[in-house]
Amino acid sequence: MVEKFDVPAGSCSPSLLLGSEPPEIIKILRLLSGTTHLRNDGTDEILYEANKNFINPDDNITSNGIDRILDYIFEERPDEAEIISIFRKISALNKGFYIEILGELGFLLKSLGEKKFTESFLYTYRILERISAACPLIYVSNDKDFRNAHNFLSSIYDEKKAPGELGMLQKFLQHYTGLNDGFARATLDFPLGELGDALAAELIDELKKIVLPEVKTLVIDEETGTFSVPFKDVGSFVVTVRNRTFHNLGARANFNLSRIGGSEPLFALLVPNLLYWFSYVFVDFAKWQLSRA
């Protein structure tokens, strides 16, 4: 990673700058907010040039505004001494886990920047697998009433077997929906306009046949040329798309990739929006972790 900006002295918290070696969780937020590039340290080649704020697409952070990242994760912005203390404490919390997430995110952004969209979806899926168990566990560890935590964790295994792919994450998202009105109302919206009319029509038909039977909350609006998935069901949507794209079993309905020009147009549409959704979830994730520091 390398700084995107020449940051004027005194314009932001020094603890946020890469030279201060902030904890991995902050480095992830720097990448997701579009305020740092990825660089090959051996050759100095820029592997990903940050140009999007996936946390808040309407917030174009400049060299004088890096501190706004603190507003994403704190109700009230701490002073510098508090920031140093908090960052020192969270550096030791789940360090290996965040190093792994940071590595996967780096590969995801690099492949996205190179327009290798199917590859970028692979890394998206791998990241969601990583957080599938960690997200609910870190969340319940902050619950002041362990009876609530016990009830939630017990519900994950209500079928007396381990959850399937991203199952713990999906169970958690359903639970979290009841606690967060904003999350409950939010949808992830995918505009089809850039595909062109013919390809959009083919994809809509594929979604109706392949995805809608498994993700019944998927909404397809042919008039506006969009389809939407509630935030709480994005995990199920990702699993369905992954299975129906990469599997080709005769007994199951799978994407007919020849109808939609292969996998690249599909994942070019999906991955950037999935990153916005992941960023929303990860910011909450960061808040829960910071609350333990």
Side-chain angles (χ1 to χ4, degrees):
M1 295 174 62
V2 62
E3 293 289 357
K4 177 180 178 179
F5 309 111
D6 290 325
V7 182
S11 66
C12 83
S13 164
S15 298
L16 287 173
L17 299 178
L18 299 179
S20 299
E21 280 299 315
E24 276 69 26
I25 195 169
I26 300 301
K27 292 179 182 179
I28 293 169
L29 293 172
R30 290 288 312 269
L31 279 175
L32 291 174
S33 63
T35 60
T36 185
H37 299 316
L38 278 176
R39 181 182 67 185
N40 183 323
D41 288 336
T43 65
D44 286 339
E45 175 192 4
I46 297 298
L47 303 176
Y48 169 74
E49 190 165 339
N51 54 23
K52 287 185 179 180
N53 182 347
F54 291 102
I55 298 173
N56 184 351
D58 296 326
D59 188 10
N60 181 26
I61 297 178
T62 65
S63 60
N64 291 314
I66 294 178
D67 263 350
R68 287 209 294 278
I69 296 170
L70 296 172
D71 296 329
Y72 297 158
I73 53 177
F74 292 108
E75 294 292 332
E76 294 184 10
R77 187 182 296 184
D79 61 30
E80 187 60 25
E82 290 177 291
I83 292 172
I84 292 171
S85 175
I86 291 169
F87 282 12
R88 184 185 305 116
K89 291 175 183 176
I90 65 169
S91 291
L93 293 174
N94 301 301
K95 186 177 180 67
F97 167 77
Y98 289 111
I99 288 174
E100 291 172 350
I101 295 294
L102 183 61
E104 298 287 342
L105 179 61
F107 282 118
L108 193 170
L109 292 172
K110 178 177 180 292
S111 60
L112 192 61
E114 294 172 349
K115 300 186 183 303
K116 297 176 180 177
F117 298 112
T118 304
E119 180 180 305
S120 68
F121 179 79
L122 168 67
Y123 289 115
T124 302
Y125 192 87
R126 284 169 61 89
I127 287 175
L128 296 188
E129 282 191 313
R130 286 287 183 191
I131 71 169
S132 183
C135 194
L137 291 175
I138 289 179
Y139 172 75
V140 298
S141 70
N142 292 325
D143 200 320
K144 293 181 173 62
D145 188 339
F146 282 109
R147 291 172 298 181
N148 295 334
H150 177 269
N151 291 338
F152 166 62
L153 293 174
S154 296
S155 72
I156 291 176
Y157 296 92
D158 58 4
E159 297 176 359
K160 297 184 179 179
K161 61 181 180 181
E165 293 176 285
L166 303 187
M168 288 186 72
L169 177 61
Q170 189 57 29
K171 289 274 191 177
F172 167 73
L173 294 175
Q174 299 289 337
H175 173 78
Y176 189 50
T177 298
L179 306 175
N180 185 322
D181 289 341
F183 190 86
R185 292 192 301 268
T187 60
L188 192 59
D189 306 317
F190 299 91
L192 297 165
E194 292 185 7
L195 295 178
D197 292 343
L199 190 56
E202 296 284 8
L203 181 55
I204 285 173
D205 192 47
E206 288 290 296
L207 289 168
K208 288 178 178 177
K209 291 192 302 184
I210 307 304
V211 180
L212 190 56
E214 297 191 32
V215 186
K216 299 188 185 303
T217 54
L218 176 74
V219 174
I220 300 170
D221 189 332
E222 295 186 52
E223 287 190 12
T224 61
T226 62
F227 67 93
S228 304
V229 184
F231 266 32
K232 67 183 179 63
D233 292 322
V234 168
S236 293
F237 174 75
V238 168
V239 170
T240 298
V241 170
R242 179 255 191 193
N243 289 343
R244 302 284 66 82
T245 303
F246 295 111
H247 294 176
N248 200 19
L249 302 176
R252 296 292 298 272
N254 300 290
F255 276 109
N256 183 340
L257 295 179
S258 63
R259 291 187 66 190
I260 57 175
S263 62
E264 285 292 277
L266 173 63
F267 293 126
L269 176 68
L270 297 186
V271 173
N273 278 13
L274 289 174
L275 257 177
Y276 293 131
W277 175 85
F278 169 74
S279 298
Y280 182 106
V281 173
F282 190 83
V283 167
D284 274 358
F285 197 88
K287 289 177 181 176
W288 305 329
Q289 190 73 93
L290 287 163
S291 70
R292 296 185 60 196

